[in-house]
Amino acid sequence: MSGGVARVSGASLGQAAGEAIADGVGRFMRADPLSADADIETVHQARVATRRLRSDLRTFGGALDREWAGALREELRWLAALLGAARDADVLWQRLAERLGELDPQAAQGASRLVAAMARERGAAHAALEQALHSDRHQALVERLAAAARTPVWRSPEHTRPAGEALPRLTARRWRALERRVRALPHSPSDEELHAVRLAAKRCRYAAEACEPWLGKPARRLARSTRRIQEVLGELHDAVVAERWLERHAASARAAATARAARELAGAERGEAARRRAQWREEWRRAAAKAPPHTRAAHPRVEH
């Protein structure tokens, strides 16, 4: 964003935090899963808006009243879990439907039962989400967020600190947390360990994006590189979730055709996961090489 570095002159941490929270609440309000034209992408955007707002509240937590911000984050966590369950079901349902064409006719017949089973799970997840969105709890959350966008509750005197001093430290802290996650990985990291790296990359990206209007190019560069890590590991996570779901159904299926289809589809997801495991390391090396100077506590690298 042009002029980003100039904006930081004379600004306070509270000013930057207030704008980030207001922007986040705006994204949250616009992503309405109950709108008449809501679809799979709408649920995804609502989930992203909710999780990003939680991340911003954490990133700028030093400037905010701890009890106020913590309570708000907890309510957003409740909603994010429901949105996440619906979104995960959407993704798996889509993946199964798209892979039907890869199977022979006999296996495809068995796979249709898998798609039907996933559709039932998806329906239950969306029903739980819709119930929550119509609840008093959700309405109260919306009202609290609207108030937060207008008047955040500050932690004095932290919110008066100069933005030019505080914001580079915030992004550096997120980058170093990601770096520590990567450097601690064993030679053959588990899916859970790589998922933790993905979450750290996402937090770093969101922090960089929140600071971009003030820091300009360095923050934008950091956001782009960590976004790619997040995306590749997200694709890995989706493949792993699908594989595990299919393996469970292969083991419990009564019809031989259904079990066979589940095993074949699980194999395809296993192959996809293997490709993403190989790909993410290169994305990390690229990100580490391009990390802004202020984030570099050490020389980040992957030894595995």
Side-chain angles (χ1 to χ4, degrees):
M1 181 176 294
S2 60
V5 175
R7 281 194 69 193
V8 85
S9 178
S12 69
L13 175 59
Q15 187 176 350
E19 285 198 14
I21 292 169
D23 287 347
V25 171
R27 282 190 297 271
F28 177 88
M29 298 298 186
R30 290 190 296 272
D32 182 7
L34 289 179
S35 62
D37 59 348
D39 55 12
I40 289 176
E41 183 60 22
T42 304
V43 173
H44 172 59
Q45 292 303 323
R47 179 193 197 186
V48 170
T50 304
R51 291 187 170 183
R52 179 166 174 168
L53 187 50
R54 286 190 73 232
S55 179
D56 288 346
L57 288 167
R58 183 188 290 273
T59 295
F60 294 104
L64 299 168
D65 178 82
R66 290 180 179 177
E67 184 175 350
W68 176 84
L72 198 52
R73 288 184 64 252
E74 185 63 23
E75 286 303 281
L76 285 166
R77 187 176 74 85
W78 160 73
L79 182 58
L82 291 162
L83 287 163
R87 172 59 179 169
D88 289 345
D90 286 343
V91 169
L92 183 50
W93 178 74
Q94 279 190 318
R95 291 177 81 93
L96 291 177
E98 290 169 359
R99 287 198 181 278
L100 287 180
E102 302 173 9
L103 301 173
D104 61 52
Q106 184 177 0
Q109 183 179 2
S112 66
R113 299 188 185 96
L114 296 172
V115 174
M118 187 63 246
R120 289 191 293 272
E121 293 184 21
R122 179 178 176 236
H126 277 266
L129 174 60
E130 185 172 359
Q131 182 178 10
L133 293 173
H134 282 105
S135 68
D136 291 342
R137 183 176 182 179
H138 179 259
Q139 182 59 36
L141 173 59
V142 170
E143 293 172 1
R144 290 172 67 181
L145 289 174
R150 294 191 301 268
T151 53
V153 181
W154 301 115
R155 180 187 177 194
S156 297
E158 293 299 316
H159 74 290
T160 62
R161 290 172 55 198
E165 169 191 314
L167 297 185
R169 292 181 179 178
L170 292 180
T171 54
R173 187 178 305 132
R174 288 299 196 197
W175 170 262
R176 290 167 189 163
L178 170 59
E179 181 187 357
R180 285 193 297 272
R181 282 283 185 186
V182 174
R183 291 170 69 86
L185 290 175
H187 179 72
S188 297
S190 67
D191 296 324
E192 289 72 22
E193 287 168 328
L194 290 177
H195 184 58
V197 170
R198 175 198 174 202
L199 295 179
K202 179 167 61 177
R203 294 181 186 123
C204 185
R205 170 198 166 189
Y206 287 166
E209 289 177 345
C211 294
E212 183 187 334
W214 307 89
L215 300 181
K217 186 176 180 180
R220 182 164 61 251
R221 189 176 177 181
L222 181 61
R224 286 175 178 172
S225 58
T226 49
R227 176 179 181 173
R228 186 55 187 155
I229 296 171
Q230 176 196 340
E231 288 174 344
V232 172
L233 289 176
E235 290 159 0
L236 166 61
H237 176 71
D238 289 344
V240 168
V241 169
E243 179 192 350
R244 291 177 178 176
W245 188 90
L246 288 161
E247 291 288 3
R248 288 197 303 272
H249 279 264
S252 62
R254 295 181 179 179
T258 302
R260 175 188 167 193
R263 286 193 296 271
E264 289 189 20
L265 292 171
E269 296 293 355
R270 197 175 305 116
E272 177 68 13
R275 286 188 290 274
R276 299 306 180 186
R277 286 192 192 95
Q279 185 181 3
W280 87 269
R281 296 182 186 279
E282 182 57 34
E283 295 299 336
W284 165 253
R285 293 187 183 97
R286 290 174 183 169
K290 295 179 181 178
H294 74 270
T295 65
R296 294 176 181 168
H299 296 291
R301 60 187 184 276
V302 177
E303 300 290 355
H304 314 302

